[in-house]
Amino acid sequence: MADVPMLEMKGITKRFPGVLANDNVDFDLYAGEVHTLLGENGAGKSTLMKVLYGLYQADEGEMRLNGEPVTITSPTSAIEHNIGMIHQHFMLVDTLTVAENVALGLHSSRGALTDLDAVSEKIVDLGSQYGLEIDPAATVWQLAVGQKQRVEIIKALYREAQLLILDEPTAVLTPQEVDQLFETLNQMTADGRGLIFISHKLHEVLALSDRITVLRQGRVTGYTTTEGATRASLASMMVGRDVKLAPDKPEVETGSAALEITGLRVIGDRGNVVIDGLDLDVRRGEILGIAGVSGNGQRELAETIAGLRDAEAGSISIAGTDVTNGRPVDVRAAGLAYVPEGRMKDGSIGLFTVAENLLLIDHNSKEFLDAGLLNFDAIRTHSQTLVDEFAVKTPSLDTPVRSLSGGNIQKLILARELSGTPNVLIASQPTRGVDIGAAEYIHKRLVAQRSEDTAILVISEDLDEIFGLSDRIAVMYEGRIMGIVDTSITREEIGLMMAGVTREEAAAG
Amino acid sequence: MSDFFTEAVLIATVAGGIRLAVPLLLAALGETFGQRSGVLNLGVDGIMLLGAFTGYYTVLKTGNVWYGLLAGIAIGIVLGLASSLISVTLQAEQGISGIGVYLFGLGMSDLLFQRLVGTPVPITKFPKIDIPGLSDIPWLGGMFFSHSVVVYLAFLSVPVAMFIINKTNFGMNIRAVGENPEAADSLGVSVSRVRYATVTIGGTLAGAAGAALAIDLGIFQQNLTNAQGFIAIALVYFGAWRPLGVMAGALLYGFVNSLVLQFKTLGIIPQSWSDIAAMAPAIITILALVIVARRFRAPSALTKPFTRGT
Amino acid sequence: MSRNAWIWLGVAAAALLVIIIVAVSGGDDETTETTVAAETTTTAEETTTTAGETTTTVEGETTTTAAETTTTAAAAEPIRIAIVAPSASNDLAFTQSIVDAVNVIEGEREVAEVAVTDGTFVVDDAAAAIRDYAASGFDLVIAHGSQYGGSLQEIAPDFPETTFAWGTAADTFGLSNVFAYEAASDEGGYVMGVLGAALTETGTIGIVGPVEVGDAKLYVDGYKAGAEANDSGVTVNINYTGSFSDVALASEAAQAHAAAGADIMTGTAQMVVGAVGVAADQGIPWFGTQANQTSLAPEIVVASQVYKWEIVLRQILDDMAAGTLGGSVYVIDLANEGLAIEYNDGFALSAEVKALGDQAIADIIAGAVEPTG
């Protein structure tokens, strides 16, 4: 390591109205290393990086690049200082070609005219150098997610970025794509570049980084080199106490199949087939995890079971009742509980209060009706019980749900959905964007519900979650189940299946 | 109907359609630039009206049609900058602020006309240019190659607009800013500078369209454009934000109008139907718009102001 | 550039616009209180102006201020007249005809004030102006547009002391404070049709109309009848463009007529200025109506039918003086000299042809000819 760090950030403080997003944060980076910034949502990682990239100005603190004090006031000046950023949400123009996206904002060798041929040539060169092969003439919207990320990295390399910020770059990738990305990144550090890696996937952090800085509530709460760090030690630094990453699962005798799906075929929003001949059984007392890269029909599967989307062919039954193309209310009557992936969009009504949201599915039940009108006393009692039982942190029952944190909204939805005794529970991305503490609690509740003989279907992109919770794992790819496996399968095998390889081929390869 | 298939009538129909298309084409091309960069300017008609009056008044005073066209363009630039200020810097709701510009142009052009001119006085019109050789071709010559000079200028601006949008850095920036301003901003493309430029181009062409209309008619009157600026905005959607499509839309609108007029004149459309037939161009254009609009997508950032870092 | 700088730029631009507006409206300071009517009239009359009423035309409607402050008519003798009309006061057509007439009346009678709201092609704007004028104590409110009838029917009963005049129309809704007035414009049309048929060499005449209703339809039908009465072999092509205001369309309609062989043209409503331009380019003789259109194209205008609404205004004012605030329908026609054919001296019209026209006028006055019978 060189003596002078390529980046030093000292005492960075950034305030927003009512929030101290960064509080006296120190961070540094040497050429040739990966320094991870770890923390939960809202811990201040993104704010710090936006300060570095010129999207925000720090209120206090100083920045040095290679020992020289700098002020970075805009992305343009960040680029001039050879800083590149791979944003979590791709900063790509879908309707432009790869070459146009790369050329955007650069001076053209042909003056006012574009010089896309020259740019394309260099893209191909960079691609072969770093394993980032891509067709420069392809339009971005036609590309797969992994390819889009290559374009993002090429954009930074093209601008000769020496310091690269990678904001949750693996969030949307399959394990194979993650491996490929890491190879590229390792090559970049070998070339003397410095990388700042932002992630909350602990095993990836351990695999890639040299050093790790942990942020919590805007402050640096931990610092370690990767040697000697474990997932558990990192998690406790993030949360501030010891955390159980995988829930204890008691032995439960599995019963009959409570959810049976045969030959399901569903047409998606754009008229294409999104679920194609899918068969699946989930038995009482088991958690079946559905693994897969998002966009392979998982959302549509959950919606079709819940009666929110019509099946074109096939049948679905819950506890022996045929609910194919039933109305949501009928499906619920058959014993389905559903935690949808969009907790603000589909799972709750943001402007409604906590109590009102808890009532959403039960508002016709006799318990809460008094001569046809809502019985508010009964409702409040019921709501308070649920809020207490599920440890939902809310100022009051009358607080609008949208002002709660993601984890608490998710607990609220879970409380509502589990307040009956469901035969089947579908939990779609149950802990996405949720803090570790809440995720730990949600996992515990799901396992507890398994002991209550509920058949549970968990859909998740987070392989740690899938492995930690599931009794069996079904891998979904392009609307089909590539195979159902137990948790002894390796990540590599499951990654291949997520990319469309069958179980047999995966095991062989 | 046999009256219709005579040389004089067919030439007049086609030439008339082209003439009617010109102000729409110019204004819609300008609006295409703005919309491709994500700014909807509903004030086009107001800018056209002020361009029309300014052009008319300049020709009235100087007798020079080129000064008139330049004056229309100049007022278009001023109003284009003002529109940019409103929609880009002040980030006003684009569905409403443009109406303000329209009402300003409508009222201001009328007020200026009343104050400075009063009774309509005819002015010199644009010279008609017969393109040597081509204008002598039977039938086609009269239809396409014997027009006032602005007609040629307007149609020449179509390939120019295509070239700018598709082949230049500026054009690439326009497309990027209209589709994903955050991405463009993250690469150092100034979103507001691009939008200022495109909205001002829109104003410039709207001013030119108004001046072309007034100087081609040789007269000004209150509300001279008769809402052509709004039709131009519809034509941008019709043309799927592409100059060639916009040209096709303007020509379709012009031709249907011209055809209906010709049919009325010859009694092919009975007089009792003429009021209904007057709606045909609008209806046909709307139908075509509905069919086309299903196949193309508007720029994603259209009507959305941009603020960094959200 | 910082955000503040942009905002200052905005303020500067707004200030610039204000300056432009002030510069324009302040161009003649001493007459800012002149009514639009008085200022823009083209009649040779002395334009006496009455202070107290500032009428500014912005955005197609008129804001009237300080109207209440000048009820100088306490002695009840001089009256206050208001006009609400759809197009511009100087349109050389429909609206100008009523404004000119009121200016004539101003020279004859004790008129305290004349206010004009023009350009109200939006009926709701017109209705608001009509109600404002009635509420501010005008004695006579003229709603000059057949499309204003519905509004008048609602407003008039609320102001029983105010006289309303509605034209062109033939219905007073049975209200005792509404007069209706119309022009027998088919009569002048007939006379000019006779002249047109005598002048055509191709045997084809083109007429550009707005929408087939009211005054426009009367004129067009009269012209066609006159032309065919003079020469049954003549072809009269009629093109209603569908718009009172689309100048470009009227221009193309004239092009269409020319392509169809017309060598004589006429047209009615304010958008015909576009058609006159085409006729002038092609040297095609033109007949005007509603106002004298000679100034638009001195070489080719043969004659114009001119409306002298002062004839009906005199009748209405006489009724009002006698205490009758409405209930009658008055018509201007050739017999009462409310309609006049004004020839363009610059157009060489042969004596024989002119004699045909004079004969037609005499026949109509005598009742020997029904223009649209």
Side-chain angles (χ1 to χ4, degrees):
Chain A
M1 254 183 238
D3 293 341
V4 181
M6 71 192 300
L7 168 72
E8 277 176 286
M9 299 177 87
K10 273 195 185 146
I12 300 291
T13 297
K14 176 69 189 173
R15 295 181 196 91
F16 291 113
V19 184
L20 191 54
N22 282 155
D23 182 5
N24 198 23
V25 173
D26 293 342
F27 187 82
D28 63 358
L29 178 72
Y30 288 86
E33 72 159 349
V34 178
H35 189 164
T36 289
L37 203 48
L38 185 65
E40 305 224 52
N41 288 340
K45 301 169 300 200
S46 291
T47 303
L48 189 68
M49 290 302 106
K50 282 180 174 171
V51 168
L52 173 56
Y53 198 61
L55 289 164
Y56 294 151
Q57 305 302 305
D59 296 317
E60 286 164 37
E62 68 160 342
M63 280 199 281
R64 286 168 183 269
L65 289 175
N66 301 314
E68 300 293 320
V70 290
T71 11
I72 296 172
T73 52
S74 69
T76 316
S77 70
I79 292 167
E80 279 163 11
H81 285 103
N82 297 98
I83 298 172
M85 182 157 179
I86 312 297
H87 298 264
Q88 184 179 1
H89 305 288
F90 295 143
M91 289 288 188
L92 293 173
V93 183
D94 278 350
T95 49
L96 263 51
T97 65
V98 170
E100 285 175 323
N101 266 285
V102 173
L104 207 57
L106 292 175
H107 285 290
S108 163
S109 61
R110 297 205 297 154
L113 305 185
T114 52
D115 58 348
L116 296 176
D117 290 344
V119 173
S120 300
E121 224 168 274
K122 201 169 161 197
I123 290 172
V124 172
D125 285 352
L126 281 172
S128 56
Q129 197 180 338
Y130 287 98
L132 298 165
E133 279 82 10
I134 194 101
D135 174 11
T139 309
V140 164
W141 62 262
Q142 298 169 317
L143 301 180
V145 174
Q147 291 174 304
K148 287 186 188 177
Q149 189 167 59
R150 289 183 188 180
V151 181
E152 284 284 37
I153 297 172
I154 288 172
K155 266 164 62 181
L157 292 176
Y158 197 102
R159 286 166 173 71
E160 293 171 357
Q162 291 301 311
L163 189 166
L164 222 74
I165 307 161
L166 298 137
D167 189 0
E168 308 234 4
T170 62
V172 288
L173 303 184
T174 65
Q176 272 69 30
E177 286 172 324
V178 170
D179 289 347
Q180 220 171 356
L181 172 69
F182 282 10
E183 267 174 46
T184 302
L185 298 182
N186 284 329
Q187 201 175 340
M188 284 162 63
T189 49
D191 287 351
R193 292 189 173 82
L195 306 182
I196 301 173
F197 183 64
I198 299 176
S199 179
H200 59 257
K201 293 187 180 172
L202 300 175
H203 68 270
E204 289 178 359
V205 170
L206 290 170
L208 187 69
S209 340
D210 297 294
R211 297 186 296 146
I212 299 162
T213 292
V214 182
L215 286 182
R216 188 168 78 239
Q217 290 172 354
R219 279 193 300 268
V220 175
T221 55
Y223 169 80
T224 176
T225 55
T226 306
E227 278 162 48
T230 63
R231 288 176 58 200
S233 71
L234 293 179
S236 59
M237 272 196 267
M238 282 167 76
V239 183
R241 62 177 165 83
D242 283 343
V243 179
K244 261 206 179 69
L245 287 172
D248 293 326
K249 289 197 328 191
E251 286 291 319
V252 175
E253 189 136 331
T254 54
S256 58
L259 173 66
E260 292 166 287
I261 302 171
T262 47
L264 189 67
R265 186 179 151 88
V266 177
I267 305 297
D269 296 335
R270 273 173 281 174
N272 51 334
V273 178
V274 286
I275 295 177
D276 190 7
L278 181 140
D279 298 314
L280 199 65
D281 288 349
V282 186
R283 293 196 286 274
R284 289 183 181 279
E286 79 163 343
I287 296 178
L288 179 86
I290 293 202
V293 177
S294 73
N296 276 289
Q298 299 97 313
R299 182 169 58 85
E300 288 85 353
L301 174 63
E303 287 175 357
T304 309
I305 298 170
L308 301 171
R309 187 180 277 278
D310 278 349
E312 219 201 22
S315 72
I316 302 169
S317 75
I318 288 175
T321 311
D322 182 12
V323 295
T324 317
N325 291 343
R327 297 177 303 157
V329 61
D330 299 331
V331 184
R332 284 187 177 278
L336 177 79
Y338 175 41
V339 178
E341 69 173 65
R343 55 180 168 265
M344 286 311 291
K345 192 169 148 282
D346 302 321
S348 62
I349 300 177
L351 286 170
F352 278 27
T353 66
V354 168
E356 286 166 339
N357 269 286
L358 283 171
L359 190 65
L360 282 177
I361 54 170
D362 286 331
H363 61 97
N364 277 329
S365 119
K366 288 214 173 57
E367 198 184 331
F368 305 119
L369 288 179
D370 190 355
L373 300 175
L374 290 171
N375 178 343
F376 285 100
D377 286 340
I379 291 167
R380 293 192 77 82
T381 317
H382 167 76
S383 304
Q384 193 60 53
T385 314
L386 286 177
V387 164
D388 293 345
E389 187 190 338
F390 282 79
V392 180
K393 280 182 216 147
T394 172
S396 79
L397 290 179
D398 302 319
T399 306
V401 155
R402 65 171 175 184
S403 57
L404 301 187
S405 76
N408 280 304
I409 295 173
Q410 196 72 330
K411 284 197 271 186
L412 185 76
I413 294 169
L414 205 61
R416 181 184 72 205
E417 295 297 324
L418 297 182
S419 61
T421 320
N423 293 316
V424 175
L425 167 67
I426 300 175
S428 213
Q429 316 293 353
T431 61
R432 184 159 73 187
V434 161
D435 56 278
I436 292 185
E440 185 188 13
Y441 182 82
I442 290 166
H443 287 162
K444 207 168 80 187
R445 290 304 306 211
L446 291 176
V447 170
Q449 198 63 38
R450 165 176 171 268
S451 304
E452 302 282 316
D453 269 350
T454 299
I456 300 174
L457 187 68
V458 170
I459 298 173
S460 177
E461 287 175 277
D462 182 348
L463 276 183
D464 289 338
E465 180 166 55
I466 291 285
F467 275 102
L469 282 176
S470 308
D471 298 299
R472 292 188 298 152
I473 301 171
V475 184
M476 211 165 159
Y477 174 74
E478 290 192 345
R480 289 190 307 275
I481 300 292
M482 299 310 295
I484 297 182
V485 296
D486 61 31
T487 51
S488 64
I489 189 170
T490 64
R491 276 175 188 271
E492 285 64 36
E493 280 179 275
I494 221 168
L496 285 171
M497 290 168 73
M498 282 162 70
V501 178
T502 60
R503 175 79 218 272
E504 294 71 30
E505 291 164 349
Chain B
M1 199 74 191
S2 64
D3 294 347
F4 180 69
F5 293 101
T6 64
E7 180 171 357
V9 172
L10 282 174
I11 288 177
T13 308
V14 175
I18 290 173
R19 276 192 300 267
L20 285 171
V22 162
L24 294 169
L25 175 61
L26 282 172
L29 276 181
E31 178 73 4
T32 302
F33 277 91
Q35 291 202 12
R36 279 306 278 271
S37 78
V39 183
L40 170 71
N41 182 2
L42 286 180
V44 178
D45 202 52
I47 301 176
M48 281 178 78
L49 279 165
L50 273 170
F53 172 75
T54 314
Y56 167 81
Y57 188 65
T58 307
V59 177
L60 186 66
K61 290 293 164 193
T62 65
N64 186 320
V65 292
W66 302 110
Y67 291 171
L69 185 61
L70 287 177
I73 286 173
I75 199 79
I77 291 173
V78 171
L79 288 170
L81 283 169
S83 303
S84 323
L85 180 84
I86 293 166
S87 53
V88 181
T89 306
L90 304 176
Q91 308 204 338
E93 178 64 52
Q94 290 169 19
I96 295 165
S97 62
I99 299 293
V101 174
Y102 161 63
L103 290 175
F104 173 77
L106 177 64
M108 199 60 175
S109 61
D110 188 34
L111 178 65
L112 289 167
F113 180 66
Q114 302 290 343
R115 292 278 170 176
L116 301 176
V117 184
T119 301
V121 182
I123 55 167
T124 319
K125 300 183 180 184
F126 280 117
K128 202 168 105 177
I129 294 185
D130 292 331
I131 295 188
L134 294 176
S135 63
D136 298 332
I137 303 172
W139 302 65
L140 298 181
M143 290 175 183
F144 301 109
F145 304 112
S146 178
H147 277 290
S148 107
V149 62
V150 280
V151 174
Y152 304 117
L153 289 179
F155 283 91
L156 274 180
S157 57
V158 174
V160 172
M162 288 169 68
F163 182 79
I164 292 174
I165 291 174
N166 295 314
K167 296 287 173 195
T168 67
N169 287 308
F170 175 56
M172 191 167 75
N173 289 348
I174 293 173
R175 288 180 283 143
V177 162
E179 203 61 44
N180 189 345
E182 288 79 17
D185 180 62
S186 75
L187 295 176
V189 175
S190 166
V191 175
S192 54
R193 207 174 296 167
V194 169
R195 288 183 172 173
Y196 256 81
T198 56
V199 175
T200 305
I201 290 173
T204 308
L205 286 175
L213 179 68
I215 302 172
D216 222 27
L217 290 170
I219 202 83
F220 185 84
Q221 198 178 63
Q222 174 193 45
N223 192 23
L224 184 77
T225 59
N226 207 45
Q228 286 192 36
F230 291 96
I231 293 165
I233 293 168
L235 290 177
V236 176
Y237 283 76
F238 175 96
W241 298 272
R242 284 155 182 79
L244 269 184
V246 167
M247 183 179 82
L251 283 173
L252 173 71
Y253 190 83
F255 280 134
V256 175
N257 252 315
S258 177
L259 202 65
V260 167
L261 281 176
Q262 227 33 275
F263 280 6
K264 282 183 192 170
T265 297
L266 297 173
I268 296 168
I269 295 175
Q271 198 175 312
S272 54
W273 283 43
S274 63
D275 296 347
I276 293 168
M279 290 183 255
I283 292 170
I284 289 172
T285 308
I286 289 168
L287 283 178
L289 178 73
V290 169
I291 294 163
V292 170
R294 292 156 70 104
R295 302 199 4 243
F296 292 96
R297 203 172 51 83
S300 303
L302 188 57
T303 75
K304 291 178 193 138
F306 172 71
T307 321
R308 176 180 289 169
T310 48
Chain C
M1 219 170 184
S2 77
R3 197 176 162 78
N4 276 345
W6 283 115
I7 289 170
W8 281 114
L9 190 67
V11 171
L16 189 69
L17 288 179
V18 170
I19 292 166
I20 294 171
I21 295 168
V22 171
V24 165
S25 51
D28 42 2
D29 272 333
E30 69 282 6
T31 56
T32 39
E33 291 189 336
T34 312
T35 64
V36 172
E39 190 186 308
T40 56
T41 178
T42 52
T43 60
E45 229 111 2
E46 173 74 37
T47 57
T48 42
T49 62
T50 318
E53 173 73 23
T54 310
T55 308
T56 324
T57 313
V58 176
E59 295 167 12
E61 68 179 277
T62 300
T63 43
T64 307
T65 52
E68 301 92 319
T69 59
T70 54
T71 325
T72 52
E77 279 309 312
I79 67 155
R80 300 169 68 208
I81 304 175
I83 305 170
V84 177
S87 49
S89 305
N90 47 18
D91 61 356
L92 285 182
F94 187 67
T95 297
Q96 181 160 352
S97 67
I98 190 74
V99 174
D100 287 354
V102 171
N103 284 319
V104 170
I105 291 293
E106 242 188 318
E108 295 173 357
R109 309 219 173 177
E110 287 287 303
V111 177
E113 181 184 353
V114 175
V116 178
T117 289
D118 63 356
T120 50
F121 52 89
V122 177
V123 172
D124 285 346
D125 292 345
I130 292 168
R131 186 175 284 279
D132 282 350
Y133 282 132
S136 24
F138 278 81
D139 303 291
L140 172 61
V141 178
I142 303 170
H144 191 61
S146 36
Q147 64 270 41
Y148 302 153
S151 313
L152 212 59
Q153 205 171 356
E154 288 173 16
I155 297 168
D158 296 345
F159 300 95
E161 302 297 308
T162 306
T163 295
F164 296 89
W166 177 38
T168 59
D171 186 4
T172 62
F173 309 116
L175 294 169
S176 61
N177 62 336
V178 174
F179 286 106
Y181 60 89
E182 61 178 339
S185 47
D186 51 334
E187 295 186 2
Y190 184 95
V191 174
M192 295 197 289
V194 168
L195 297 172
L199 289 175
T200 180
E201 288 167 13
T202 62
T204 302
I205 296 174
I207 307 181
V208 180
V211 176
E212 195 183 5
V213 290
D215 186 60
K217 178 173 164 54
L218 270 182
Y219 174 75
V220 171
D221 290 352
Y223 195 101
K224 185 176 193 307
E228 288 171 351
N230 186 60
D231 176 359
S232 57
V234 77
T235 303
V236 180
N237 291 331
I238 300 171
N239 197 334
Y240 284 105
T241 63
S243 166
F244 283 94
S245 54
D246 197 326
V247 181
L249 217 52
S251 161
E252 284 305 327
Q255 296 273 12
H257 281 311
D263 67 344
I264 297 289
M265 287 191 206
T266 186
T268 177
Q270 60 269 24
M271 83 296 168
V272 294
V273 291
V276 178
V278 171
D281 283 351
Q282 310 208 0
I284 295 173
W286 175 268
F287 289 91
T289 184
Q290 294 183 332
N292 191 325
Q293 293 174 346
T294 300
S295 67
L296 280 175
E299 293 81 26
I300 52 110
V301 171
V302 182
S304 303
Q305 169 177 240
V306 180
Y307 293 2
K308 298 187 178 300
W309 292 115
E310 54 267 31
I311 303 292
V312 298
L313 289 178
R314 283 183 197 126
Q315 290 169 309
I316 288 170
L317 292 173
D318 290 346
D319 282 355
M320 287 167 70
T324 308
L325 298 186
S328 307
V329 179
Y330 291 119
V331 180
I332 50 170
D333 55 24
L334 291 170
N336 67 18
E337 295 184 344
L339 292 178
I341 308 297
E342 293 184 355
Y343 290 94
N344 172 13
D345 295 337
F347 188 90
L349 190 65
S350 72
E352 300 154 47
V353 177
K354 191 158 182 280
L356 286 172
D358 292 341
Q359 185 58 48
I361 294 172
D363 287 349
I364 290 169
I365 292 174
V369 165
E370 284 286 326
T372 45

